[in-house]
Every structure is written in structure tokens, then in C-alpha cells.
């Protein structure tokens, strides 16, 4: 079956939606979610408020769409970095640390005001299964367990859930403290401590810790 080429009208619609999205995200990152209005977004895009509502039902729809962008970021940036680290012989332990360093950095780039909006009990996207970010980390844990770098007391699924719960807790704590400390350093410190729990007990584990 021959795939039909998009019409000029469809292409223009895609461009308008993309423009509205990019302008909205840019404004939210600069001035915060609550300070960004639909009128501002539409005006900067050069369209009417009605046109905005043709593509998005609300500001919140754009805001939560950032989770798709987060997964795209991990697919295009983080995954290749981890694959390169794996090819270079980096330990799975360090790959997990790297993963969460990227996680902290991505949160920082979204802006403090936006992150405080994301971290609330109504946001169920955090626990949605099958997201690329989760699947990528699960693969890393599976490699570590297959090689004996990590204990298999937890499954890759359980380890992934556990570490994301902790990572979200760290970001939430950072928000509560008004972004007063270095999120990337705190994230790395906690992840190194937690990863020790997954290491197998015995001489081999001691040798790894001594490196």
C-alpha cells in the first residue's frame, strides 16, 4: 500500500502545533508555568487564542506533553551515551550513575518553577509503564544482573521502580528546599549509596568497591 504524502494543509497544521508547543515550553522555562498565559503563547506564535485551543485543550496538555519530550531526550541523547559507555567497557554500576546524572540535569534544564508544578500527587505520568526512560534503565539493570555485577534479589523491573521512586524523591526534596543545593551532585551521591545495596556480597564485591 502506497503511503500518501501529507497535504500542504496538514503540513501547515503540524508546523503550527509545533510552533505553539515550542513557544509555550520556552515561556514556561523562562517565567514559570503559572506566569505563562495562553494569550501570551498565542500572541508570540502570531495566532488567535481560538487557534491555540484547536491544537491544545489547555496549558496543562502542553505541560504534560513534556514527558514525551523527556523520553525522546533519553532515546536520542542518553541511550547512545550509555551504549558508547558499554562499548568502552564502563561498569554497569557507573552506567546507572550516568543515567541518573542525566535525569537530574534534564530536570534542572526544565526550570525550577516548572519542576515544582510537575511534582504533585495528581501527576500519574510518573508511574505510567512502558515509557522509554524506564525501559532503558531496565536494560541496564538486566545487564548488570546477568554479569553478576548486581545481585538478582531484585528483578530488573523492581530495581527500576525502586530507583525511580528514590530519584523522584530527591527531586521533590530539592523542590521543597527551593532548589538550594546541587541536584546533580545529590542525585549522584544517593545513587552510589543505593547501588551498593545491589552489589553481591563477598570478595568479588569488595574488589569492585576498592577500584
Amino acid at each position: 500500500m502506497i503511503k500518501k504524502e501529507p497535504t500542504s494543509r496538514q503540513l501547515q497544521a503540524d508546523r503550527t502545533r509545533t510552533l505553539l508547543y515550542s513557544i509555550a515550553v520556552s515561556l514556561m522555562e523562562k517565567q514559570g508555568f503559572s506566569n505563562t498565559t495562553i494569550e501570551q503563547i498565542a500572541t508570540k506564535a502570531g495566532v488567535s487564542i481560538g487557534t491555540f485551543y484547536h491544537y491544545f485543550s489547555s496549558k496543562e496538555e502542553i505541560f504534560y506533553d513534556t514527558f514525551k519530550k523527556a523520553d525522546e531526550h533519553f532515546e536520542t541523547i542518553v541511550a547512545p551515551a550509555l551504549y558508547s559507555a558499554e562499548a568502552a567497557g564502563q561498569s554497569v554500576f557507573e552506567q546507572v550513575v550516568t543515567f541518573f546524572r542525566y535525569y537530574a540535569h534534564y530536570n534542572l534544564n526544565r526550570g525550577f518553577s516548572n519542576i515544582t508544578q510537575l511534582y504533585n500527587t495528581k501527576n500519574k505520568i510518573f508511574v505510567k509503564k512502558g515509557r522509554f526512560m524506564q525501559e532503558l534503565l531496565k536494560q541496564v539493570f538486566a545487564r548488570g544482573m546477568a554479569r553478576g555485577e548486581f545481585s538478582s534479589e531484585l528483578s530488573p523491573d523492581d530495581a527500576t521502580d525502586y530507583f525511580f521512586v528514590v530519584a523522584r524523591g530527591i527531586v521533590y526534596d530539592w523542590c521543597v528546599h527551593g532548589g538550594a543545593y546541587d541536584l546533580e551532585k545529590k542525585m549522584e551521591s544517593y545513587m552510589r549509596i543505593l547501588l551498593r545495596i545491589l552489589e553481591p556480597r563477598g570478595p568479588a564485591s569488595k574488589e569492585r568497591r576498592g577500584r
Side-chain angles (χ1 to χ4, degrees), residues 11-120:
L11 289 172
Q12 180 58 44
D14 287 342
R15 283 194 290 268
T16 301
R17 190 182 194 282
T18 300
L19 177 64
L20 283 166
Y21 177 85
S22 61
I23 286 173
V25 170
S26 177
L27 286 172
M28 289 175 188
E29 289 179 353
K30 288 177 183 176
Q31 60 192 38
F33 177 81
S34 58
N35 293 324
T36 300
T37 66
I38 290 173
E39 183 179 5
Q40 287 175 332
I41 297 167
T43 298
K44 192 159 185 178
V47 301
S48 68
I49 292 177
T51 298
F52 173 91
Y53 280 113
H54 176 74
Y55 293 100
F56 300 99
S57 62
S58 64
K59 258 193 334 180
E60 285 74 16
E61 183 181 346
I62 290 182
F63 191 58
Y64 287 120
D65 206 41
T66 58
F67 281 85
K68 295 178 185 177
K69 295 296 182 183
D71 282 310
E72 289 173 8
H73 177 79
F74 270 72
E75 185 170 7
T76 58
I77 304 297
V78 182
L82 292 179
Y83 297 150
S84 296
E86 169 70 11
Q90 186 183 63
S91 69
V92 179
F93 184 108
E94 289 300 329
Q95 289 177 44
V96 175
V97 172
T98 298
F99 179 98
F100 282 105
R101 196 181 296 123
Y102 273 107
Y103 183 85
H105 186 72
Y106 188 83
N107 276 276
L108 284 171
N109 282 347
R110 300 289 65 77
F112 179 77
S113 176
N114 287 335
I115 294 302
T116 58
Q117 291 289 329
L118 283 175
Y119 281 77
N120 65 77

Side-chain angles (χ1 to χ4, degrees), residues 4-15:
K4 291 183 179 179
E5 292 293 326
T7 64
S8 58
R9 190 172 182 176
Q10 289 170 328
L11 289 172
Q12 180 58 44
D14 287 342
R15 283 194 290 268

Side-chain angles (χ1 to χ4, degrees), residues 73-181:
H73 177 79
F74 270 72
E75 185 170 7
T76 58
I77 304 297
V78 182
L82 292 179
Y83 297 150
S84 296
E86 169 70 11
Q90 186 183 63
S91 69
V92 179
F93 184 108
E94 289 300 329
Q95 289 177 44
V96 175
V97 172
T98 298
F99 179 98
F100 282 105
R101 196 181 296 123
Y102 273 107
Y103 183 85
H105 186 72
Y106 188 83
N107 276 276
L108 284 171
N109 282 347
R110 300 289 65 77
F112 179 77
S113 176
N114 287 335
I115 294 302
T116 58
Q117 291 289 329
L118 283 175
Y119 281 77
N120 65 77
T121 56
K122 294 180 180 179
N123 186 358
K124 305 302 181 185
I125 304 177
F126 281 126
V127 293
K128 182 180 178 182
K129 297 292 184 181
R131 291 180 56 201
F132 182 85
M133 194 184 296
Q134 297 167 332
E135 296 303 311
L136 178 62
L137 184 60
K138 193 188 304 180
Q139 291 173 17
V140 177
F141 276 126
R143 283 201 301 273
M145 292 172 188
R147 292 179 190 168
E149 280 193 48
F150 296 146
S151 166
S152 57
E153 291 177 11
L154 286 176
S155 68
D157 273 315
D158 289 339
T160 297
D161 287 344
Y162 180 83
F163 274 73
F164 267 119
V165 166
V166 174
R168 289 195 297 270
I170 294 168
V171 178
Y172 178 80
D173 182 75
W174 177 75
C175 290
V176 169
H177 284 86
Y181 56 76

